[in-house]
Amino acid sequence: MILRLGRDRDASSSNRAPRSLRAERLEPAPACYHTAMTAKSTFVDPAIQEYIIAKVVREAPILRELREETAQRPNARMAIGPEQGQLMQLLAHTIGARRYLEIGVFTGYSSLAMALALPPDGRIVACDVSDEFTAVARRYWKAAGVADKIDLRIGPALETLARLRADGAPPFDMAFIDADKANVEEYYERSLEMLRPGGLILVDNVLWGGEVLDAAASDPDTRALQQVSAKAGRDDRVDAALLPVCDGLLIGRKK
């Protein structure tokens, strides 16, 4: 792994670091990954990330199309990588997930990946504040034939979660948090409350491009991500692991 402190939040696929001489000997990934991949991890060589995708990831054509369109946006790094999407699908299959909660939708890659993984009676509650970004998501959900699985709630996520609890929403099997970072600990708590025993809670971007290594960090986002990882690590309510996938994925299994 190559650790690079400092996070370029607006970097696009065209700004990826060049391959090392050793990496050039790897079998090249399909062209679509070179042109559309946003190298999510700043601490794993981009060539290694592309190798993983080329060898293991089975990305549905509709997901690839969405990723390629999203890659044209200046904020494309807000989307998860295809290797993370496949990992989330694997986790959903492993626990037999039927109900999935998503906090932070952006253009819809993660929600689309999960909708494709859930069974026909699976249901998703997706929370976001942007009509602009989720309009892209809606278009791809419809094209993939999964729009009827997804209940999109536009508005502050904490208000949406409070309303779900007040309405007596059934427990979720899996929750994914990828929204504003300053509120991540509150999202963690509210999602955990709504998760069934044995369910999974996932928090994205917990390595934050390496910035979490700065113990003296003062910005709210970095501090919040440091705190939620530390909290999960000592939280007796969950079994936790932190994986260096993309920008860091925290996974907790509710006891």
Side-chain angles (χ1 to χ4, degrees):
M1 291 186 180
I2 299 173
L3 181 62
R4 305 183 182 96
L5 293 180
R7 175 185 177 84
D8 180 2
R9 293 181 179 85
D10 295 323
S12 68
S13 58
S14 62
N15 295 324
R16 294 199 311 266
R19 292 184 175 191
S20 66
L21 292 177
R22 180 177 59 83
E24 286 292 349
R25 293 197 296 269
L26 296 175
E27 179 181 335
C32 64
Y33 295 126
H34 291 290
T35 58
M37 178 183 171
T38 51
K40 293 289 292 182
S41 176
T42 60
F43 35 83
V44 178
D45 190 302
I48 296 297
Q49 296 177 70
E50 293 189 14
Y51 176 85
I52 292 169
I53 293 169
K55 295 298 184 183
V56 179
V57 172
R58 307 170 191 168
E59 188 178 38
I62 191 70
L63 284 170
R64 186 183 67 249
E65 290 171 19
L66 172 55
R67 182 164 55 85
E68 290 175 340
E69 178 174 335
T70 302
Q72 306 308 310
R73 293 176 169 268
N75 49 7
R77 289 182 64 89
M78 290 170 58
I80 68 169
E83 68 273 42
Q84 181 174 332
Q86 183 161 308
L87 173 61
M88 291 171 61
Q89 291 178 319
L90 174 62
L91 293 172
H93 289 146
T94 300
I95 66 169
R98 278 184 158 74
R99 286 181 51 78
Y100 167 75
L101 172 66
E102 180 163 291
I103 302 173
V105 176
F106 188 40
T107 58
Y109 190 97
S110 51
S111 50
L112 177 55
M114 291 300 295
L116 293 171
L118 295 182
D121 63 346
R123 293 294 178 267
I124 292 173
V125 175
C127 309
D128 205 282
V129 294
S130 173
D131 284 310
E132 176 191 353
F133 294 149
T134 56
V136 178
R138 286 178 183 271
R139 178 158 45 86
Y140 278 88
W141 296 341
K142 182 177 180 180
V146 297
D148 60 339
K149 290 184 177 181
I150 304 171
D151 177 8
L152 176 63
R153 308 285 185 101
I154 297 294
L158 291 175
E159 294 179 11
T160 299
L161 297 176
R163 192 154 45 248
L164 286 169
R165 282 184 60 81
D167 292 344
F172 291 94
D173 302 299
M174 192 167 168
F176 178 52
I177 301 168
D178 189 15
D180 58 294
K181 307 311 176 188
N183 284 316
V184 68
E185 191 168 352
E186 194 68 19
Y187 295 145
Y188 174 90
E189 286 294 336
R190 300 291 80 79
S191 298
L192 196 59
E193 290 173 357
M194 303 183 70
L195 205 63
R196 66 162 171 87
L200 298 177
I201 183 168
L202 283 65
V203 185
D204 201 22
N205 303 119
V206 289
L207 293 179
W208 207 225
E211 291 186 19
V212 292
L213 297 180
D214 183 3
S218 58
D219 71 280
D221 291 347
T222 302
R223 294 294 298 160
L225 291 165
Q226 290 170 329
Q227 290 164 6
V228 76
S229 293
K231 180 173 193 169
R234 62 175 182 266
D235 191 346
D236 291 335
R237 298 170 296 174
V238 300
D239 300 312
L242 197 163
L243 304 181
V245 174
C246 292
D247 197 24
L249 184 63
L250 177 66
I251 302 176
R253 175 187 175 275
K254 185 174 180 178
K255 296 180 180 178

